[in-house]
Amino acid sequence: MSRQITGAGVFSLAVASALLGVLGGILIGHARGAVPPLSPRYTQRQELLQHMKADPSQPWPRSIGHVVLAWPGSRLDQKGYLEPGGSFSPGVGSFGILIQAGNFISSTIPLKQIKQSMDSGLGITTESPYYSADWTVESPRSFLLKLQARMGLPLSLLLRSDGPAGGPLSSITWDKGVVLVNGIWRIEAAGSQQGPALGKPLIAGSGNWLRATVPLGSVRVIRVTTLIPLADPVLFPAKDKLSELRSLPQVNVPDVRFSASMGAQERHLLMSLVGNETRPGDPVNYPLAWNRDGAYEVTALARSGEIATAEKLALFFARHDWFGGFGPEADTPGLSLWAIGQTADRAHDPAFDREVWPDVYRKAEMILKMIHTTRAIYRIPYGPIVPADLNRPDLDLVCGPAKNGLIVGRMDFERPLLYVNGVSYAGLRAAARIALRQPGGAVYAKLWDQEASVLRKAWWRALSTPQREDDRSAIVGLWPSNIANNDPIPYSSLLKEHWDKTHDPTGNFKSRPLWTYFKVAEAHEWLLEGEARVPDARTHVWQTLNWFWDHQSSPGLYTWWEGRGEENSFGLWQEIRGWEHPGAVTPHYWTAAEMLSLQLDMLVHEDEDGSLVIGLGVPNSWLAHPMHVSGIVCPRGTVAWSWDGHHLKVLLNGQPVTYIPGPAFRGILKN
């Protein structure tokens, strides 16, 4: 893993060497121990921190609130990173592009003066008192920046080695109004080769810490393109993806944050994808697919109407059994089957069903083996392992002997009994639905449904044990498994215990939650528990939503965090000049998926019997305003509904349909 940089090609050679060297087998190898330890030599992060200490007056990276801005399915080194203010790196380990308006610089403007929002495509707009900036992904190899000055301030670009995801910068050249960075990044005025061109850079610095000021003059649209030939991403070839995005769920409701959050989650999930793989969180921190997080991400995309994308992603889950940074875990088969089933139920694609059927059968039988085993089960991990856990003696353990009809399985190096068995139940039910669509599959569907029923009763009995205290027990009963539905021991009492433990009387968290995906998932449980059993259920959902919207990692972009510091890190940010003081992993895509699925179910929820519940999470205050929702994809088809203040109109695949109104509507409408 060389850190030495000489001449042009710095991004393609040095950064690829640094990142891929650390990754080792992450991108192409799949054996335990494939990831080499980090080099003890001086890292790019250490070098950056030394420069920051020596000259604190420079506009150094913020190291907070960054987000990925990239073409869906693009490689890790093609992922752009954006920080609040509009500072941008067009690739991992590339360089930083800062915006200067007069004396105001994007990385130093106070956060309270910055507003961010996501557009209807793959773009992010930054507003400040001094300029507005809109960064958009044009293609897998190109980004577009649109600038507008305020107060007549002159605009410039600052090109720096450091940035949101910077790297050594040793070459900046200019020819006929085009700037070439490190010989492979082309920065030019967009739209016309004969129109206004970029000014000649004013270069400072030395070695591979060059920096430059590029005066823009009248230029307001800038294109940043890599000259490295790139293959089309696995998921989305270089075509017009933006029109497809605009056709996905359309939500017009009184709370603008609700609509903005939904749109943001879908785009964050899409831009995080690497090839045909999901990522748990920030792809540099998590350079691997992880079954648990990814299952929720695939499901959220399928529910939002990204069916073709979800099918491609689900095939990875079908073909691989034990992938994830903690090795083979007991919830893996169930979550894989659930994600595959959620996708298949909405795709209505016989070819997809046929393709996954052998894998569905294998995974369902694995769950049965875990339920009935009298001895520990071990499996070889697939894919990279979190470096800190490579030498754990229990890394290849899936589960111990079954007890009381339940899987005693490993997850997060713990034994969360209710969670593991809840998602295994969901997996068996999903496998049975797919089996019914296969020739001769009815016999397997009957067997798996019977086994699921027995597992459910054992799960109910375990509700009264100390296992209910585990954090994961409150995120599985109704979402995603529905195993707690009609349970003889009220699941609501468990939810209330967890709520009271973590919330104050006003509904705020007593302390900042570390695992944000758990808390959004709990809100989903409250939504499905419903007010018939718990009068405060919908209130708790909205208390959670409002808290998260008020506490975003990157304000206006609806992203959240995991843990504190670099959780489960592979050390890749150590070799990048940016993100030098991480307080947590952000964005986190399991949280994004939980938020998206929760919001979709708040608008349209399909019960197991196929009944459509409209507006399950709609608050009473919304009824004073007209609303329109369309493009919500359920197993029965695509749902649209509208409210004019007096009447609720619901369409399924464009036709009127019988439905169940949510609690806000019930006081006004007659069934």
Side-chain angles (χ1 to χ4, degrees):
M1 184 175 64
S2 174
R3 196 175 56 82
Q4 237 6 68
I5 309 299
T6 56
V10 63
F11 181 73
S12 59
L13 298 178
V15 173
S17 173
L19 293 180
L20 299 182
V22 173
L23 287 170
I26 290 179
L27 299 181
I28 56 176
H30 302 287
R32 178 178 174 179
V35 182
L38 285 175
S39 168
R41 295 179 296 101
Y42 209 41
T43 66
Q44 297 289 347
R45 176 178 284 176
Q46 290 170 323
E47 192 169 337
L48 172 60
L49 291 172
Q50 183 184 54
H51 278 257
M52 293 174 67
K53 183 177 180 180
D55 189 358
S57 65
Q58 289 290 320
W60 300 109
R62 290 183 188 271
S63 196
I64 58 171
H66 70 187
V67 296
V68 171
L69 189 63
W71 195 261
S74 55
R75 297 192 319 244
L76 178 60
D77 59 354
Q78 296 171 262
K79 300 296 186 188
Y81 277 78
L82 182 82
E83 287 187 349
S87 299
F88 183 63
S89 291
V92 175
S94 54
F95 61 102
I97 303 175
L98 280 60
I99 300 165
Q100 182 170 4
N103 295 321
F104 302 98
I105 300 175
S106 54
S107 63
T108 61
I109 296 172
L111 284 176
K112 63 182 179 181
Q113 296 183 12
I114 294 170
K115 293 183 179 180
Q116 302 180 104
S117 61
M118 303 193 78
D119 65 21
S120 59
L122 297 174
I124 294 173
T125 298
T126 300
E127 301 280 352
S128 80
Y130 318 109
Y131 60 84
S132 67
D134 183 33
W135 279 104
T136 302
V137 186
E138 275 197 311
S139 74
R141 60 198 298 268
S142 179
F143 301 91
L144 199 67
L145 170 62
K146 297 179 181 178
L147 280 172
Q148 181 65 50
R150 303 270 169 77
M151 301 185 296
L153 294 171
L155 292 172
S156 301
L157 295 183
L158 304 185
L159 309 182
R160 298 178 59 88
S161 173
D162 56 276
L169 201 170
S170 56
S171 171
I172 302 173
T173 60
W174 179 84
D175 183 43
K176 297 179 181 178
V178 175
V179 178
L180 198 61
V181 179
N182 283 339
I184 58 172
W185 287 101
R186 180 183 175 94
I187 304 176
E188 60 186 327
S192 174
Q193 295 181 350
Q194 298 179 354
L198 303 183
K200 188 173 183 178
L202 307 175
I203 299 174
S206 60
N208 57 42
W209 281 88
L210 290 181
R211 60 182 185 271
T213 300
V214 182
L216 296 181
S218 60
V219 173
R220 293 294 178 267
V221 183
I222 300 100
R223 179 172 286 114
V224 182
T225 309
T226 179
L227 301 180
I228 301 176
L230 302 174
D232 282 344
V234 173
L235 287 173
F236 300 115
K239 63 178 183 180
D240 182 13
K241 178 66 185 166
L242 304 188
S243 61
E244 183 180 338
L245 282 171
R246 295 189 183 104
S247 67
L248 292 170
Q250 302 295 306
V251 178
N252 185 357
V253 295
D255 192 336
V256 295
R257 296 187 303 174
F258 192 95
S259 304
S261 175
M262 279 189 65
Q265 304 323 312
E266 184 189 5
R267 285 155 177 78
H268 288 311
L269 289 172
L270 287 171
M271 292 190 288
S272 75
L273 301 175
V274 178
N276 65 341
E277 296 181 8
T278 57
R279 292 293 181 262
D282 170 7
V284 176
N285 189 87
Y286 278 114
L288 77 164
W290 202 312
N291 175 278
R292 181 160 45 255
D293 309 67
Y296 289 88
E297 293 161 33
V298 172
T299 295
L301 288 171
R303 286 169 154 243
S304 69
E306 281 281 0
I307 301 299
T309 301
E311 283 186 311
K312 293 175 184 177
L313 296 170
L315 287 177
F316 184 90
F317 284 73
R319 292 164 180 163
H320 304 107
D321 289 332
W322 306 107
F323 61 96
F326 292 160
E329 299 178 271
D331 58 337
T332 295
L335 284 172
S336 287
L337 287 170
W338 172 66
I340 295 166
Q342 289 284 306
T343 302
D345 291 345
R346 287 164 173 78
H348 302 288
D349 182 354
F352 178 76
D353 283 349
R354 287 193 298 272
E355 187 165 5
V356 300
W357 170 238
D359 304 306
V360 166
Y361 174 84
R362 183 181 69 255
K363 293 174 191 293
E365 290 298 302
M366 185 68 234
I367 293 176
L368 298 191
K369 185 172 184 178
M370 291 192 292
I371 292 173
H372 298 291
T373 186
T374 58
R375 62 183 65 186
I377 295 176
Y378 300 87
R379 288 294 183 270
I380 297 173
Y382 177 89
I385 301 298
V386 171
D389 296 310
L390 270 172
N391 296 317
R392 287 187 64 110
D394 59 346
L395 184 62
D396 54 356
L397 173 67
V398 177
C399 66
K403 187 175 181 180
N404 299 324
L406 294 171
I407 300 166
V408 183
R410 181 174 70 85
M411 177 227 175
D412 284 348
F413 296 109
E414 298 181 22
R415 304 294 186 274
L417 194 72
L418 292 171
Y419 183 80
V420 166
N421 286 276
V423 297
S424 297
Y425 171 87
L428 286 175
R429 294 299 306 277
R433 292 195 302 273
I434 294 174
L436 285 174
R437 300 194 289 265
Q438 305 303 310
V443 63
Y444 299 110
K446 182 178 180 180
L447 170 64
W448 296 336
D449 273 336
Q450 289 174 340
E451 291 280 1
S453 179
V454 173
L455 182 65
R456 185 185 204 183
K457 293 176 182 177
W459 191 93
W460 286 349
R461 291 192 295 270
L463 267 179
S464 59
T465 71
Q467 276 289 333
R468 65 191 286 121
E469 298 176 9
D470 189 283
D471 286 346
R472 300 156 190 81
S473 298
I475 66 167
V476 69
L478 300 171
W479 165 259
S481 73
N482 205 38
I483 195 172
N485 192 28
N486 298 320
D487 59 307
I489 301 175
Y491 184 60
S492 54
S493 65
L494 181 151
L495 293 178
K496 188 176 186 304
E497 290 171 14
H498 283 259
W499 179 271
D500 292 342
K501 182 171 62 176
T502 57
H503 294 78
D504 65 24
T506 68
N508 289 318
F509 288 102
K510 294 178 181 178
S511 60
R512 182 178 185 268
L514 298 180
W515 323 116
T516 52
Y517 32 85
F518 285 178
K519 298 309 173 186
V520 181
E522 282 186 38
H524 208 151
E525 300 290 329
W526 281 113
L527 176 73
L528 299 181
E529 184 70 9
E531 295 177 6
R533 296 179 67 169
V534 185
D536 292 334
R538 200 164 30 128
T539 298
H540 290 340
V541 173
W542 276 100
Q543 286 170 329
T544 302
L545 281 179
N546 285 320
W547 191 93
F548 274 95
W549 291 341
D550 289 340
H551 297 81
Q552 301 177 42
S553 291
S554 195
L557 302 184
Y558 296 89
T559 60
W560 295 282
W561 62 90
E562 176 191 51
R564 57 172 69 91
E566 294 176 288
E567 297 286 338
N568 305 316
S569 172
F570 283 74
L572 300 190
W573 278 112
Q574 296 281 348
E575 292 300 333
I576 296 169
R577 294 179 181 177
W579 203 238
E580 70 282 357
H581 293 298
V585 178
T586 185
H588 205 275
Y589 301 117
W590 184 0
T591 307
E594 291 281 13
M595 183 64 75
L596 180 53
S597 288
L598 167 62
Q599 291 188 254
L600 287 166
D601 262 352
M602 291 173 73
L603 297 173
V604 179
H605 172 68
E606 183 172 343
D607 284 338
E608 280 196 330
D609 63 1
S611 300
L612 291 177
V613 185
I614 302 301
L616 186 58
V618 167
N620 294 353
S621 60
W622 284 10
L623 299 190
H625 307 272
M627 293 178 274
H628 180 76
V629 174
S630 63
I632 307 293
V633 179
C634 296
R636 286 181 63 186
T638 302
V639 179
W641 63 264
S642 59
W643 169 256
D644 63 5
H646 303 282
H647 304 94
L648 182 60
K649 181 180 179 181
V650 182
L651 301 177
L652 175 67
N653 298 327
Q655 299 297 320
V657 64
T658 301
Y659 63 90
I660 301 171
F665 295 113
R666 289 172 195 164
I668 299 176
L669 301 174
K670 293 182 180 180
N671 292 333

